[in-house]
Amino acid sequence: MMRAAGPPTFGNQTHVRLGVMLCILLAVLSGAPLAEAAELSREVAALYSTVSIYPPSEKSMTVCYGFVCRRREILSFTPGDRAALTQILNAGHASAAAERAAAQKAVVWLDRRMGPIIGTNKRVAKADFR
């Protein structure tokens, strides 16, 4: 039986927000000039405005977690972080499929980097709030 598509669940919204933040981060880390990286679309600027945070820069980004970004942690990029992300992203230049794989690996890197700090490294897959 097929279910009607409903509004996105909390987990999906979190992944969308993380994806948007990652896209901007990728632009910043990929060597785009800061002036270009700072120019956000109206929709992306609205996303940052709704949660009252600044977009990521080449030195740091705000990682939101909890419902509607109620909890936040600043990730300050170390030279090692930048080198790791640059290596991951450079692998995506070969093709569209390689780019998607690199973006996926960058999300995994971010989750592993921030998980111990924000406590998400202890989460259980498909667990509910109980």
Side-chain angles (χ1 to χ4, degrees), residues 7-17 64-70:
T9 63
F10 168 71
N12 289 340
Q13 291 174 350
T14 300
H15 285 113
V16 168
R17 287 186 183 113
C64 291
Y65 61 107
F67 292 98
V68 194
C69 198
R70 289 203 174 124

Side-chain angles (χ1 to χ4, degrees), residues 24-48:
I24 293 170
L25 173 65
L26 297 176
V28 170
L29 291 176
S30 69
L34 289 180
E36 289 179 27
E39 293 179 26
L40 305 176
S41 70
R42 183 176 52 229
E43 295 82 9
V44 172
L47 173 67
Y48 284 106

Side-chain angles (χ1 to χ4, degrees), residues 5 11 24 30-31 42 45 50 72 75 81-82 84-85 87 94 129:
I24 293 170
S30 69
R42 183 176 52 229
T50 61
R72 302 156 188 224
L75 168 59
D81 292 337
R82 289 183 60 86
L85 278 171
Q87 181 179 8
F129 65 90

Side-chain angles (χ1 to χ4, degrees), residues 73 109-122:
E73 188 70 37
W109 177 90
L110 180 64
D111 189 47
R112 288 184 179 157
R113 172 72 166 78
M114 291 304 298
I117 296 168
I118 63 177
T120 57
N121 60 326
K122 296 179 177 103

